[in-house]
């Protein structure tokens, strides 16, 4: 008769995806009370279960929340773990002399999905309500042809109010 020890029972409770099999060691084949436990991890179809839930979230923060024209925004963001790049876009990021009203800036990500970037709001950006949009993307490049494939993984947006420039903000 085989018996399950407390350590084997604790292992079975702590590792629900593991396959537990009890085998008798060859040295103790004559003694039925001695059994050893071996654990093998089961191959799962969904590899996302191994990651914590925060690794799948998409979020970003902008400070200051109500900037003036000619001010610098600090953007902190998090994308899902499989993303390798983020794109921020807004009408508040206009450049001097540019006819384009909407400008996009890229942000590189760490292996854990975090990124940060400073973006300048031009003196010529229109004051008022704007929206900052973020896309988390996975960019892959086909080496022989040099073609890029961009897959959008997630999106997020935040409102932004740009206040009018006045010289008193520097004194």
């Amino acid at each position: 008769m085989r018996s399950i020890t407390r350590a084997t029972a604790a292992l079975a409770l702590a590792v629900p995806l593991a396959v537990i099999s009890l085998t008798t060691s060859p040295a103790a084949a004559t003694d039925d009370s001695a059994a050893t436990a071996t654990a093998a991890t089961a191959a799962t179809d969904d590899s996302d279960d191994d990651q914590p839930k925060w690794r799948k979230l998409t979020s970003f923060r902008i400070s200051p929340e109500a900037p003036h024209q000619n001010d610098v925004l600090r953007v902190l963001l998090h994308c899902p773990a499989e993303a390798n790049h983020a794109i921020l876009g807004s009408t508040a990021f206009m450049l001097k002399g540019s006819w384009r009203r909407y400008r996009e800036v890229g942000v590189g990500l760490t292996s854990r999905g975090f990124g940060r970037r400073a973006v300048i709001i031009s003196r010529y950006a229109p004051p008022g309500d704007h929206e900052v949009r973020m896309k988390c993307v996975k960019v892959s490049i086909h080496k022989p042809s040099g073609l890029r494939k961009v897959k959008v993984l997630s999106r997020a947006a935040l409102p932004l109010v740009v206040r009018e420039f006045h010289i008193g903000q520097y004194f």
Side-chain angles (χ1 to χ4, degrees), residues 17-136:
L17 294 178
V19 177
I20 307 292
S21 64
L22 294 177
T23 59
T24 309
S25 64
T30 56
D31 187 13
D32 290 334
S33 63
T36 59
T38 60
T41 57
T44 59
D45 295 335
D46 190 13
S47 64
D48 291 338
D49 291 338
D50 299 338
Q51 296 180 354
K53 292 187 179 193
W54 66 266
R55 301 266 324 238
K56 302 173 194 171
L57 294 178
T58 300
S59 63
F60 71 109
R61 183 174 191 279
I62 296 173
S63 63
E65 294 177 0
H68 291 278
Q69 292 173 322
N70 200 28
D71 210 350
V72 177
L73 288 179
R74 288 169 299 283
V75 181
L76 303 172
L77 56 93
H78 181 264
C79 287
E82 56 269 6
N84 59 5
H85 197 73
I87 300 170
L88 289 168
S90 178
T91 53
F93 301 159
M94 281 181 57
L95 293 175
K96 175 183 174 182
S98 176
W99 285 93
R100 293 181 186 231
R101 296 214 10 105
Y102 189 82
R103 178 176 162 225
E104 291 184 336
V105 293
V107 181
L109 299 176
T110 65
S111 61
R112 303 182 92 190
F114 292 102
R116 64 177 186 233
R117 172 85 192 248
V119 182
I120 296 175
I121 296 180
S122 172
R123 166 72 176 89
Y124 302 96
D129 295 329
H130 298 274
E131 185 178 42
V132 179
R133 298 180 186 141
M134 179 183 74
K135 293 187 287 188
C136 296

Side-chain angles (χ1 to χ4, degrees), residues 138-153:
K138 180 171 180 66
V139 180
S140 57
I141 299 176
H142 186 248
K143 296 273 184 184
S145 64
L147 295 175
R148 287 187 317 152
K149 186 168 90 174
V150 179
K151 180 180 176 185
V152 178
L153 299 176

